[in-house]
Amino acid sequence: MKEKWWKKSVIYQIYPKSFKDSNGDGIGDLNGIIEKIDYLADLGIDVIWLCPINVSPMMDNGYDIADYYNVDPVFGTNEDFERLIACAKERGIKILMDLVVNHCSNQHKWFQEAVKNPEGEYAGYFLIEETSGKEPNNIRCYNGTSAWERIGESNRFYFHSFSKEQPDLNWANPNVRQEIIRMMKFWQKKGIAGFRIDAIGNIKKTKEALAQTILPTDGTDGMVSVDKYVLMQDGIEAYLAELRDEVFERYDMFTVAEVSVPEGKMEEFVGEHGFFSTVFDFSYTDMDVEKSNGKEWKKRFTIREMREKIFASQNMIEKYGWGSPYLENHDQPRSVNKYIPEESIGYESKTALGALYFFLRGTPFIYQGQELGMENYPFSDISQIRDPFAVQRYEQSVKNGENPQKDMEYFRARGRDNSRTPMQWDESVYAGFSEEEPWIAVNPDYETINAKAERQNDKSVYHFYKKMIALRKQSEYSDVLTYGDFSPIESDEDALIGYYRSNGEKRVAVLVNFGEGEAAIPKQLANGKRILDNQDRWNTERLLPYQAVLIAEGE
Ligand code: GLC
Ligand code: CA
């Protein structure tokens, strides 16, 4: 196992719009992050993944880039970003940027040129088809509408996997790939340590995706999901190898890709000479969703299923490469609401959930506010929702005569805005995020769940996360918790999830009782040394409800 700086790291994800507003416009910004850099250093994280900060009309909060070379004025300037990189560096913190290159914004000058000039160079930067008047085919984009949008009054249509404001780039065009590589090098030179790579599995399209033919439908709307025609298509490897050889590997960057990779391709993607350092695994973070009629809906699952999914994911990644365990991100609701029954949400259950994922094999990610145990927002009306994908889905339901209240119910449980509400810093108005009304409402629970209160309370989710980070990074168990092998601990207890991390010298058991009742501790662990515990009462035979312990064997 090769040692790499990023294997020992803990990564903290920042959604800039919602982290800290420094200038009273209600929107988070780079100077706000600089103000809070000591908070992050004190927590003990090593790397910040910054969601997009480039110039953008912010239709999708920055995932629609209109200028790859400049920071959006709402977030600050390129100089502010350089200052952030420098002051993070002083504290030993590195920065990852979000690389959004499957698509750009329809406000990008490439796209505007492509629209103006069908014969010009930039028309070839996008996927544009001319027809006799109808959409080229019936592919449905992720937001439920057609993946094709008409250009003005013409019979030309462009392809978009996401919203119509996010035209897909044409990766088959070598000039597009060169532009992207040039841009990546520009930011590398400014001192960033790597990239989180957005929707990268979508970059290669099949012939059918772009053909003028009606494809077999998978819904009552006569359309068919874009997935099958654009995800992980053969030939994508050549594009990814180019990025690896020209940029990632050349500069020893850390890269984490948002892409779901089948086992047969894992070696090529995350193996020793893989395209990426690691990839996100959706298998257990999306286990509460099912798709029907082209839309996602909430689904129930059991703790056993959760255990199986986590173990399968670890076993697979262990075979080929390196993992990136996470519970939350800006596309997910708050994890405590997903995995813990409403009536049991509290300090014990939140820390148990934290311990469960944090010591899995891989580089752990923490999403802003997760370390405080932030919870979902009680959305009740579409007017409170800012996520454009949700709004579009709602409108589409109204248009199709479906009941939009069902969509609202889904958004309440699963909407992306749940994790995009402002970071809760203290008990003052707007939770100390801003002095003015924020762009999205603050969760009403901020008076109890906030960084200031939790820092003052030893028994808080914050302090437990801090302890987990220190244990993983600066203890006699760092090595085994980082590089050690993963193996499941078998048990008949339905609610017990346990695993070992072991190397030649040490073996540490992570045991989490995810149930409402007590659970028997596997006998072989009765005499080990407890090196972390989220509860005060200890009994060598049984774990309390939502008790999580780390036990070092043979000491
Ligand atoms: C990714 C991002 C998401 C964004 C989408 C389109 O899934 O995580 O936030 O909306 O790509 O760029
Ligand atoms: Ca601001």
Side-chain angles (χ1 to χ4, degrees):
M1 172 57 46
K2 254 202 195 153
E3 301 207 351
K4 286 274 185 190
W5 63 267
W6 40 264
K7 290 186 177 169
K8 282 176 273 188
S9 299
V10 174
I11 303 188
Y12 189 93
Q13 181 189 355
I14 291 184
Y15 199 64
K17 259 188 116 167
S18 306
F19 191 64
K20 173 73 177 125
D21 173 24
S22 73
N23 62 352
D25 62 0
I27 303 174
D29 46 56
L30 294 180
N31 284 327
I33 301 173
I34 293 174
E35 275 178 35
K36 295 294 183 186
I37 197 79
D38 283 325
Y39 169 85
L40 298 174
D42 191 50
L43 181 62
I45 60 102
D46 309 271
V47 180
I48 294 171
W49 151 23
L50 210 51
C51 286
I53 54 167
N54 304 85
V55 172
S56 163
M58 301 286 165
M59 188 285 309
D60 191 15
N61 293 336
Y63 284 93
D64 47 328
I65 294 177
D67 173 357
Y68 283 102
Y69 289 91
N70 284 293
V71 168
D72 193 282
V74 97
F75 294 135
T77 61
N78 284 18
E79 289 68 40
D80 292 334
F81 186 41
E82 282 164 22
R83 273 200 306 125
L84 171 59
I85 295 174
C87 83
K89 190 172 176 194
E90 278 170 28
R91 290 157 181 83
I93 297 176
K94 298 183 163 74
I95 309 253
L96 307 179
M97 281 183 101
D98 213 309
L99 186 67
V100 189
V101 286
N102 170 68
H103 46 266
C104 61
S105 162
N106 61 348
Q107 306 295 309
H108 196 291
K109 68 174 192 298
W110 297 338
F111 188 73
Q112 311 234 301
E113 285 298 317
V115 164
K116 263 194 267 165
N117 190 353
E119 306 304 324
E121 183 193 346
Y122 291 105
Y125 274 41
F126 297 91
L127 303 162
I128 299 178
E129 291 292 315
E130 180 144 21
T131 72
S132 53
K134 280 180 69 178
E135 285 86 8
N137 59 39
N138 54 338
I139 292 188
R140 181 196 311 113
C141 80
Y142 291 119
N143 304 341
T145 60
S146 166
W148 294 96
E149 183 69 15
R150 188 189 295 273
I151 300 185
E153 311 275 277
S154 74
N155 281 340
R156 294 163 70 222
F157 293 82
Y158 66 88
F159 185 91
H160 56 91
S161 297
F162 296 88
S163 290
K164 63 181 192 311
E165 294 86 351
Q166 295 163 299
D168 281 39
L169 286 162
N170 178 15
W171 276 71
N173 181 342
N175 294 339
V176 168
R177 303 200 300 273
Q178 277 314 306
E179 291 265 19
I180 290 169
I181 287 169
R182 191 161 65 90
M183 175 274 284
M184 289 162 72
K185 289 183 176 170
F186 172 85
W187 292 110
Q188 189 279 328
K189 280 209 184 70
K190 293 220 181 285
I192 65 158
F195 295 103
R196 175 268 183 184
I197 308 168
D198 189 64
I200 197 71
N202 290 61
I203 60 177
K204 167 101 193 190
K205 275 69 177 174
T206 52
K207 279 207 190 78
E208 293 97 311
L210 310 175
Q212 301 192 21
T213 44
I214 296 303
L215 299 159
T217 178
D218 63 3
T220 50
D221 57 2
M223 294 194 271
V224 57
S225 162
V226 65
D227 279 351
K228 189 169 150 201
Y229 300 97
V230 306
L231 273 183
M232 286 292 287
Q233 300 301 330
D234 285 339
I236 190 175
E237 294 82 3
Y239 302 157
L240 301 178
E242 201 172 337
L243 300 183
R244 174 194 58 201
D245 299 343
E246 298 277 326
V247 192
F248 306 152
E249 225 172 53
R250 180 169 299 180
Y251 305 106
D252 191 25
M253 288 185 134
F254 170 75
T255 53
V256 52
E258 187 197 29
V259 57
S260 187
V261 182
E263 176 148 15
K265 294 197 173 186
M266 280 303 264
E267 176 72 42
E268 211 177 350
F269 273 64
V270 296
E272 196 70 12
H273 187 56
F275 304 130
F276 308 115
S277 313
T278 179
V279 293
F280 287 125
D281 181 341
F282 309 92
S283 65
Y284 58 94
T285 44
D286 279 347
M287 65 182 298
D288 64 328
V289 263
E290 61 189 351
K291 274 200 177 172
S292 89
N293 210 4
K295 288 191 204 177
E296 292 184 342
W297 300 101
K298 182 93 179 145
K299 177 177 97 178
R300 300 178 74 88
F301 60 87
T302 63
I303 298 165
R304 262 183 182 277
E305 283 165 346
M306 178 174 167
R307 174 166 72 189
E308 276 158 27
K309 284 245 158 51
I310 293 176
F311 290 172
S313 160
Q314 284 279 295
N315 285 330
M316 163 137 132
I317 201 75
E318 169 122 63
K319 254 202 253 168
Y320 302 99
W322 193 249
S324 45
Y326 71 101
L327 291 174
E328 297 181 11
N329 62 38
H330 65 293
D331 294 329
Q332 292 282 341
R334 291 295 180 177
S335 55
V336 295
N337 298 85
K338 182 194 297 180
Y339 295 108
I340 305 165
E342 174 98 46
E343 60 289 357
S344 304
I345 294 178
Y347 168 80
E348 283 79 13
S349 57
K350 288 176 180 182
T351 49
L353 181 60
L356 172 61
Y357 96 104
F358 196 81
F359 299 104
L360 293 171
R361 191 164 176 282
T363 300
F365 282 66
I366 299 171
Y367 178 74
Q368 65 184 43
Q370 181 189 324
E371 79 279 21
L372 305 176
M374 277 180 66
E375 298 178 14
N376 281 353
Y377 185 94
F379 292 109
S380 57
D381 191 85
I382 189 71
S383 64
Q384 299 165 316
I385 305 265
R386 298 286 173 272
D387 176 6
F389 294 3
V391 174
Q392 287 165 27
R393 168 172 166 172
Y394 187 93
E395 286 167 356
Q396 192 73 11
S397 286
V398 173
K399 217 165 113 192
N400 295 348
E402 291 160 12
N403 178 8
Q405 285 318 313
K406 283 177 69 184
D407 299 286
M408 255 331 280
E409 226 173 88
Y410 176 78
F411 302 151
R412 187 158 43 242
R414 253 248 149 220
R416 307 196 296 177
D417 281 351
N418 281 306
S419 60
R420 298 176 180 185
T421 62
M423 175 74 176
Q424 292 165 202
W425 294 106
D426 59 38
E427 74 296 342
S428 68
V429 71
Y430 306 128
F433 162 74
S434 175
E435 271 155 29
E436 296 300 323
E437 191 178 347
W439 67 280
I440 184 170
V442 174
N443 195 311
D445 63 18
Y446 73 94
E447 285 178 44
T448 47
I449 300 179
N450 67 63
K452 184 176 156 206
E454 295 197 26
R455 286 193 350 145
Q456 287 164 356
N457 174 4
D458 278 348
K459 197 183 162 190
S460 62
V461 179
Y462 168 85
H463 277 291
F464 190 77
Y465 267 81
K466 199 171 158 170
K467 270 187 223 153
M468 292 201 295
I469 296 171
L471 187 63
R472 190 182 187 277
K473 284 179 45 189
Q474 288 130 359
S475 77
E476 55 182 302
Y477 304 101
S478 296
D479 221 57
V480 64
L481 291 174
T482 306
Y483 293 107
D485 293 339
F486 166 90
S487 59
I489 295 178
E490 301 304 334
S491 154
D492 296 331
E493 295 278 359
D494 276 341
L496 187 75
I497 307 185
Y499 55 88
Y500 287 118
R501 299 296 311 278
S502 50
N503 57 18
E505 287 157 28
K506 287 190 162 65
R507 180 150 97 155
V508 175
V510 178
L511 280 185
V512 181
N513 177 11
F514 228 68
E516 311 293 326
E518 296 190 352
I521 296 175
K523 290 224 163 38
Q524 74 273 22
L525 292 167
N527 301 319
K529 176 177 166 196
R530 262 181 318 146
I531 57 175
L532 184 72
D533 193 340
N534 70 340
Q535 302 198 23
D536 306 326
R537 277 196 302 136
W538 174 245
N539 160 338
T540 53
E541 278 160 29
R542 309 193 68 75
L543 290 174
L544 296 169
Y546 293 107
Q547 188 160 24
V549 286
L550 262 65
I551 298 176
E553 270 187 341
E555 291 185 50

